[in-house]
Structure formats: C-alpha cells, structure tokens
C-alpha cells in the first residue's frame, strides 16, 4: 500500500503500526513553477513496539476554540503524579532550512501545571498557524514529549451565539444583532465575514406555525408583515460562509406586537391637509404668472387695434411705445446766403459813423429816393439785424 | 512561419484563459485582503520610523508594476503568490542587525507563510502556473527581488539596508493590496 504526504525539511510521520517495515521515497517540487523533481532513492526502516516508559507521554492532544479563546486538552494515564509544560512553535519555522528545535517556547501560564488542560489564547493570534506539544515530567527526572498538534486559529475556532435585542415600532420589529465574542466581536466579524440567519415565529398556544427565516449580512434587520397583538419569538445564528462554520442559536427573545392604529383616518387627514396646502400655493402662483404674461404681452407684443372712435388708420404695422422707434427718413438741409445781408448794411452808415461795416458794398443801391413805405421796411429790417 | 508562430501564441493565450478556478480560490480575496492588511500593520510595528541617516543610501528598485496588471485574474493570483514567496525569503535570515521587534516579525512571517501555503494548496491549475512561468514580466519580478537581495548582501545586512528594504516591501504590499481589492 502506498501513502503520500507533504512534509517539511525536518518532519515526523506518525500513525505507523508497530513492528512493521516501511520504505520511503522523497520528491521535491516547485509548485510556483509547476515543476516536480525526480524521486530520491528508497530508504527503509522498521518500527518498534511501544515501550513502557511511553506511557508517560500525553496523548490525544486537541484544541478547542470558542470565540477566539483557545484551550489545549490532552489525555494521560500514569500511576504517579505528573506536571506538564505546554510549548508552542510559530508555524513558519518549519519551512526554513535551519534547525527549529530551539524555537519551541513555553506558553505563559502553562508551565508546571497539574491539570490536563491549559489556556493558550495568549500565544494564538490570527496571523498564521502554530504547533503545540506537551511535556510531561514525573519523579526521577523522567520526561516525555507528546506529539505535536497543528492549530490554525480561524479554522479551529468555533463561533459562539450572537447577542440579540428586539425593538418595536408600529408594525415593524427591529432586530439588533451583536457579533459573538463580546469585545472580540468586531474582530471576528471582520475575519470571518459573518452573516446572520434570523428565525422568527408566532408563539401562540393554538396553532403551531412554521418559523420564518431571514438572512442578512447587517447587524440590524427589520421583520415585516407581522400580525398585530401577537407574541413573536426570535433567535439568531451567526454563519461564516468561507470557513463553513455556523454558531449555535442565541437565546429566544419574545415580544408582543402592538394593536393596529386607525390607519385610514390618518391617511385621509394627511390628504386633506396636503390638498389645502397645495391650493394655497398653486392659486397665487397662477395669478402671478398670468399678470406677468399680460405685462410682457403689452410691452413686447402690443395689439394694433386703434380705438373705435378714430377711423382711417387702417392696419398699420405699429411698434411698441417702449421700444426704440425705427429711424425716420431725414433730409439734409442747409441755409443758402440771401439778399437780407445787403439791405442791412446801409442802416449803420446812416445812423452812426463809428459802427463796423460788415459788407463791402459801397452803397450804390441807395434807397433814399424811394417811398416812405420801403424806407420804413428797410429800417425795420435793419433794426432786426442789429 | 510567422503565421504559425502567431497561431501558437494565440493558442497558448486561449489555453491559459480557459481556466476553472476552484471553490476554495474564489473566497481567497477576502482572506488575502486580511492577510495583507495584517502584514502591513506588522511591518510598521516591527521597527520605528525610517531613520534620517539612511536617507542618503536610499535606492530606487523599480517594482515592475505590469506584473499586477495582466488581463487575466488567475495570472495575477500566481504573480501574487510568487511575490509572497520572495518577501518571505528576504525576511527569513540575517536579521540580527535590524534590531526589530521579534514578535511582530514572527507574526509577519507566519501570516505570510500561511497565505503561501493556502495559495499552493488552492488548486491554481497547473495551466495557470505554466502560463505564469512563461510570462516576460515574471523575469522582471525576479530581477527586482534579486536586486534587493544583492543590495542587502553588499551592505552586509546593516540597519540602513534593512530599513530601506522594509520600506520597499511596504510599497510592494500596498500595490498588492490595491490589486487584490480589484480581483
């Protein structure tokens, strides 16, 4: 018969039958490169039978973990009183080529104990794995080391029940879950990726109902569709999908759901209030909008209907009185110099000698011999000019 | 001939993409994220802040980022496995002059090693491993870690060389963290 085992550079194979011959072959491999080497030459050895003194060695080492509290237990049958030393080894040392036998350390609080169990939580942390062994000491300097047991904390540990609290509001029942392990709860929740299964049922004396199930990853859940004025009971279980672990159910918590309120009246009242509020808001808004529309229409798009008592305008294109009027055609006008300047020159020659003469006319066109009418008109003109 | 070569390449790529990952490996990102988080925390806890006198000796190692950006998720997982191997190996010896917190260092190595074991047993198919081993960027990755190893050896594993390497590994793990979140 052939057996196969993955071993470290320095390792032990146990569970062999006594007084039997076994042969061994070793193969090295490089898993990261998917490479396997050739097998070594065969080596054979024969096992002996159990010596009497081996009764001194503790057997059946096992580790029990609950909520990250680890306890090592072992069996021992020896007639005389014995003291025990528990030792641990940080797992990775076995992988290194150096001799790891010097790396075994004593577990604090488990040196020279007389009971067949000890708390080892102080050395078992989540990172990595460990080996534990027990050394038994009897009178006469006799001692024996037990076999090692490998501990992988997260795998070995079992989940305890979570904490449950119920909270009522109207027809809804809130379940507050606290992760197992008390102060280590968050740590466990984190490492295990915990989810919870909630079981709830009607606890009535007459009919036995099938419990309903709700699964959640949160620590708060709400139970709906509950009949009012009934006693409901709830219990919760923690589950780790990855590690394939589930805890025991928590203690049952029971509570009465409240009576139904006059539900329709509240709805109707809310509706009426809302309706009134909307009316109060919509009507003034509508009015304001209408007024604004009228003003805008008057300013930018005025109607061109003249009042009925004015006729004859017809359908003209009219513009808004508030906007800039289109430009009207303008003629360029200029003043032409006329006869008025010549007559005005004579008057200063007659009346006063020292006034300036604005024209070069010599006064050939004198009007002294003319009638009184024209003279007066020339005077009037001159006065006007002066 | 070129056509035939191209066809072989395409064939290889197709072969590498038709991979069914096992149930165990599907849940790995959650756990791996935790491991990396813990590793970064322990890396910080190991020693004090970066010593000023070591700034002069700082070297740029140039981590090949393209290793973590391949098109296929499976190849990225194989790359991460190899990076863990290298980091584990670097921190496994000649640490006396670093004078770091022994417990934190032990926990760091332990966590890293457990993750390596998980990845090895997680049935990352032989196909994936084979494909990864033929990747060009893999050689760049090996060169990067060899550079760090030689740097430590040249400086006789003194304090400054260890501090510089520690800072470099922190950067490396942060990159892996980013990649793992996307996977």
């Amino acid at each position: 018969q052939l057996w196969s085992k993955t071993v470290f550079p320095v390792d032990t194979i146990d569970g062999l039958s006594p007084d039997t011959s076994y042969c061994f072959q070793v193969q090295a491999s490089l898993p990261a490169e998917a490479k396997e080497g050739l097998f070594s030459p065969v080596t054979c050895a024969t096992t002996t039978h159990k010596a009497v003194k081996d009764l001194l060695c503790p057997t059946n080492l096992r580790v029990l973990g609950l909520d990250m509290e680890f306890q090592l237990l072992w069996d021992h049958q020896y007639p005389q009183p014995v003291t025990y030393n528990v030792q641990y080894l940080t797992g990775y040392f076995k992988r290194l080529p150096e001799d790891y036998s010097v790396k075994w350390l004593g577990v604090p609080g488990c040196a020279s104990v007389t009971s067949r169990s000890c708390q080892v939580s102080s050395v078992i942390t989540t990172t990595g794995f460990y080996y534990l062994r027990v050394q038994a000491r009897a009178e006469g300097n006799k001692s024996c080391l037990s076999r090692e047991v490998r501990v992988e904390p997260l795998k070995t540990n079992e989940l305890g029940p979570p904490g449950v609290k119920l909270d009522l509001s109207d027809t809804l029942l809130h379940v507050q879950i606290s992760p197992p392990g008390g102060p280590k709860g968050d740590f466990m929740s984190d490492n295990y990726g915990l989810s919870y299964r909630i079981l709830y049922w009607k606890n009535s004396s007459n009919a036995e109902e099938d419990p309903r199930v709700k699964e959640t990853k949160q620590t708060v859940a709400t139970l709906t569709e509950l009949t009012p004025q009934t006693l409901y009971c709830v219990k919760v279980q923690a589950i780790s999908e990855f590690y394939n672990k589930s805890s025991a159910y928590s203690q049952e918590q029971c509570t009465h759901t409240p009576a139904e309120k006059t539900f329709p009246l509240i709805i109707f009242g809310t509706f009426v209030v809302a309706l009134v509020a909307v009316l109060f808001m919509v009507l003034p808004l509508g009015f304001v909008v209408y007024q604004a529309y009228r003003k805008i229409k008057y300013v930018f798009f005025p109607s061109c209907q003249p009042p009925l008592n004015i006729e004859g305008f017809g359908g003209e294109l009219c513009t808004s009185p508030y906007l800039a009027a289109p430009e009207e055609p303008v003629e360029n006008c200029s003043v032409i110099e006329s006869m008025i300047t010549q007559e005005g020159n004579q008057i200063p020659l007659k009346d006063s000698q020292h006034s300036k003469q604005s024209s070069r006319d010599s006064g050939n066109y004198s009007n002294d011999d003319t009638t009184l009418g024209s003279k007066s008109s020339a005077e009037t003109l001159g006065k006007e000019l002066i | 001939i070129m056509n035939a070569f191209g066809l072989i390449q395409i064939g290889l790529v197709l072969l590498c993409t038709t991979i069914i990952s096992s149930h165990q490996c599907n849940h790995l990102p959650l756990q791996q994220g935790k491991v990396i988080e813990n590793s970064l925390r322990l890396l910080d806890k190991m020693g004090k802040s970066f010593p000023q006198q070591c700034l002069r000796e700082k070297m740029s190692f140039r981590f090949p980022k393209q290793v973590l950006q391949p098109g296929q998720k499976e190849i990225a997982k194989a790359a991460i496995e190899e990076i863990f191997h290298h980091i584990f190996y670097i921190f496994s010896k000649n640490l006396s002059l670093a004078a770091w917190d022994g417990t934190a260092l032990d926990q760091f190595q332990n966590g890293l090693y457990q993750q390596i074991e998980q990845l090895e047993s997680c049935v990352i198919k032989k196909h994936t491993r084979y494909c990864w081993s033929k990747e060009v960027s893999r050689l760049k990755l090996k060169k990067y870690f060899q550079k760090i190893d030689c740097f430590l050896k040249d400086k006789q594993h003194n304090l400054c060389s260890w501090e510089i390497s520690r800072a470099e590994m922190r950067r490396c793990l942060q990159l892996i963290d980013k990649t793992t979140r996307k996977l």
Side-chain angles (χ1 to χ4, degrees):
Chain A
Q1 195 182 354
L2 268 172
W3 290 280
S4 168
K5 188 176 185 226
T6 310
V7 294
F8 289 110
V10 178
D11 217 331
T12 324
I13 297 177
D14 42 33
L16 301 177
S17 323
D19 292 324
T20 327
S21 179
Y22 288 90
C23 291
F24 305 89
Q25 251 190 327
V26 185
Q27 176 197 42
S29 73
L30 215 53
E33 298 191 34
K35 284 186 186 156
E36 280 176 350
L38 299 167
F39 273 98
S40 71
V42 179
T43 319
C44 294
T46 314
T47 54
T48 55
H49 52 261
K50 264 191 184 178
V52 176
K53 83 169 181 110
D54 283 340
L55 278 174
L56 185 59
C57 302
T59 53
N60 199 18
L61 267 73
R62 55 208 182 276
V63 178
L64 295 179
L66 186 67
D67 291 340
M68 300 308 285
E69 293 292 329
F70 296 97
Q71 203 181 35
L72 177 66
L73 301 139
W74 58 93
D75 295 335
H76 201 210
Q77 277 146 5
Y78 200 69
Q80 283 147 34
V82 186
T83 56
Y84 305 99
N85 271 339
V86 183
Q87 294 176 332
Y88 79 100
L89 176 75
T90 314
Y92 82 95
F93 285 124
K94 286 204 172 191
R95 176 62 171 240
L96 301 176
E98 290 118 31
D99 178 25
Y100 61 80
S101 54
V102 294
K103 305 277 190 178
W104 283 94
L105 299 168
V107 175
C110 295
S112 304
V113 295
T114 46
S115 57
R116 290 195 213 101
S117 68
C118 195
Q119 282 280 29
V120 292
S121 313
S122 52
V123 294
I124 311 282
T125 61
T126 348
T127 56
F129 63 107
Y130 300 85
Y131 293 94
L132 295 170
R133 68 183 186 190
V134 180
Q135 187 191 46
R137 271 210 155 80
E139 288 168 45
N141 254 350
K142 280 190 271 191
S143 71
C144 178
L145 274 173
S146 71
R147 282 194 214 151
E148 298 155 6
V149 62
R150 179 173 160 135
V151 183
E152 283 189 47
L154 289 174
K155 276 198 193 150
T156 315
N157 180 49
E158 289 302 325
L159 303 169
V164 180
K165 244 174 55 169
L166 297 181
D167 199 19
L168 275 173
S169 77
D170 286 347
T171 52
L172 299 174
L173 183 61
H174 301 288
V175 185
Q176 279 182 327
I177 308 167
S178 48
K184 290 193 183 160
D186 288 329
F187 171 81
M188 279 179 62
S189 173
D190 213 18
N191 275 280
Y192 280 107
L194 288 178
S195 60
Y196 302 96
R197 184 183 288 144
I198 306 170
L199 239 61
Y200 60 106
W201 63 96
K202 266 190 244 187
N203 196 357
S204 48
S205 48
N206 42 355
E208 278 298 313
E209 200 195 60
D210 277 336
R212 285 189 269 175
V213 181
K214 188 180 167 83
E215 309 221 5
T216 173
K217 276 196 184 280
Q218 315 294 330
T219 47
V220 179
T222 310
L223 305 176
T224 54
E225 290 176 34
L226 304 176
T227 49
Q229 288 183 310
T230 332
L231 183 69
Y232 272 94
C233 288
V234 178
K235 64 181 182 186
V236 187
Q237 179 188 47
I239 298 170
S240 171
E241 216 180 285
F242 178 41
Y243 288 95
N244 203 12
K245 288 185 187 290
S246 54
S247 72
Y249 276 102
S250 67
Q251 282 227 313
E252 283 176 19
Q253 298 259 353
C254 299
T255 181
H256 272 281
T257 47
E260 224 177 273
K261 280 196 187 154
T262 47
F263 200 52
L265 198 66
I266 296 170
I267 295 282
F268 182 69
T270 317
F271 172 71
V272 167
V273 167
L275 188 70
V276 168
V278 165
L279 279 172
F280 270 119
M281 284 200 300
V282 167
L283 285 177
L285 197 70
F287 181 71
V288 165
V289 167
Y290 176 66
Q291 288 295 326
Y293 163 74
R294 280 186 59 192
K295 285 281 176 289
I296 290 168
K297 189 169 181 301
Y298 178 73
V299 169
F300 295 103
F301 310 104
S303 62
C304 292
Q305 293 299 320
L308 289 169
N309 48 359
I310 298 174
E311 291 172 353
F313 276 90
E316 277 180 24
L317 179 73
C318 53
T319 57
S320 159
Y322 297 98
L323 298 175
E327 276 197 25
E328 291 172 6
V330 171
E331 288 175 16
N332 281 326
C333 302
S334 55
V335 178
I336 304 170
E337 288 190 355
S338 61
M339 303 254 289
I340 297 166
T341 17
Q342 290 173 6
E343 289 184 359
N345 247 350
Q346 286 180 22
I347 295 158
L349 280 167
K350 276 194 206 167
D351 290 343
S352 58
Q353 298 286 320
H354 57 272
S355 64
K356 273 192 185 169
Q357 284 196 28
S358 56
S359 156
R360 278 185 256 120
D361 282 334
S362 57
N364 287 337
Y365 300 97
S366 122
N367 288 332
D368 283 343
D369 297 329
T370 57
T371 58
L372 203 70
S374 61
K375 200 181 177 187
S376 69
S377 71
E379 277 186 29
T380 321
L381 275 168
K383 277 185 189 140
E384 273 185 34
L385 281 166
I386 292 165
Chain B
I1 295 169
M2 288 308 288
N3 273 344
F5 185 67
L7 279 172
I8 290 170
Q9 285 251 308
I10 292 169
L12 206 65
V13 169
L14 281 172
L15 184 74
C16 295
T17 46
T18 52
I19 287 155
I20 309 158
S21 50
S22 81
H23 170 78
Q24 238 182 330
C25 294
N26 274 340
H27 285 91
L28 221 56
L30 161 74
Q31 200 200 23
Q32 204 167 76
K34 286 270 150 284
V35 168
I36 295 169
E37 229 180 83
N38 276 335
S39 301
L40 281 165
R41 186 179 46 90
L42 289 163
L43 208 55
D44 283 336
K45 198 172 158 197
M46 256 185 244
K48 302 189 210 51
S49 57
F50 193 82
Q52 294 282 13
Q53 68 266 27
C54 299
L55 278 169
R56 278 178 281 126
E57 299 181 46
K58 223 168 169 359
M59 234 183 87
S60 121
F61 295 103
R62 282 195 300 271
F63 178 79
K65 288 191 189 159
Q66 63 267 39
V67 162
L68 294 174
Q69 291 160 0
Q72 302 119 39
K73 283 164 61 167
E74 302 299 321
I75 304 255
K77 284 187 192 157
I80 290 173
E81 181 186 341
E82 177 141 4
I83 294 173
F84 282 160
H85 263 289
H86 284 292
I87 298 178
F88 179 75
Y89 172 74
I90 285 177
F91 280 97
S92 61
K93 51 198 191 327
N94 295 326
L95 287 152
S96 47
L97 290 174
W100 285 333
D101 175 8
T103 317
L105 179 64
D106 274 349
Q107 287 178 358
F108 172 76
Q109 286 285 73
N110 211 19
L112 213 57
Y113 177 65
Q114 192 193 26
Q115 192 59 17
I116 292 169
E117 241 190 16
Q118 291 268 11
L119 285 165
E120 275 176 3
S121 69
C122 159
V123 197
I124 290 183
K125 298 287 178 195
K126 268 195 175 167
H127 282 154
T128 319
R129 294 228 163 84
Y130 176 76
C131 292
W132 164 241
S133 66
K134 293 280 169 271
E135 277 268 339
V136 174
S137 44
R138 178 167 181 254
L139 292 172
K140 295 206 172 100
L141 188 70
K142 285 184 120 175
K143 193 172 168 190
Y144 166 79
F145 281 106
Q146 199 173 51
K147 234 179 169 181
I148 297 177
D149 201 28
C150 288
F151 172 70
L152 283 164
K153 284 203 179 97
D154 287 341
K155 303 276 179 184
Q156 279 113 38
H157 296 90
N158 67 2
L159 175 74
C160 278
S161 63
W162 268 122
E163 287 292 339
I164 292 166
S165 304
R166 181 166 74 115
E168 187 65 33
M169 289 302 100
R170 184 190 289 119
R171 202 173 300 130
C172 190
L173 280 171
Q174 277 168 344
L175 278 166
I176 297 181
D177 193 23
K178 251 198 243 175
T179 313
T180 316
R181 282 177 207 277
K182 284 190 223 160
L183 281 177

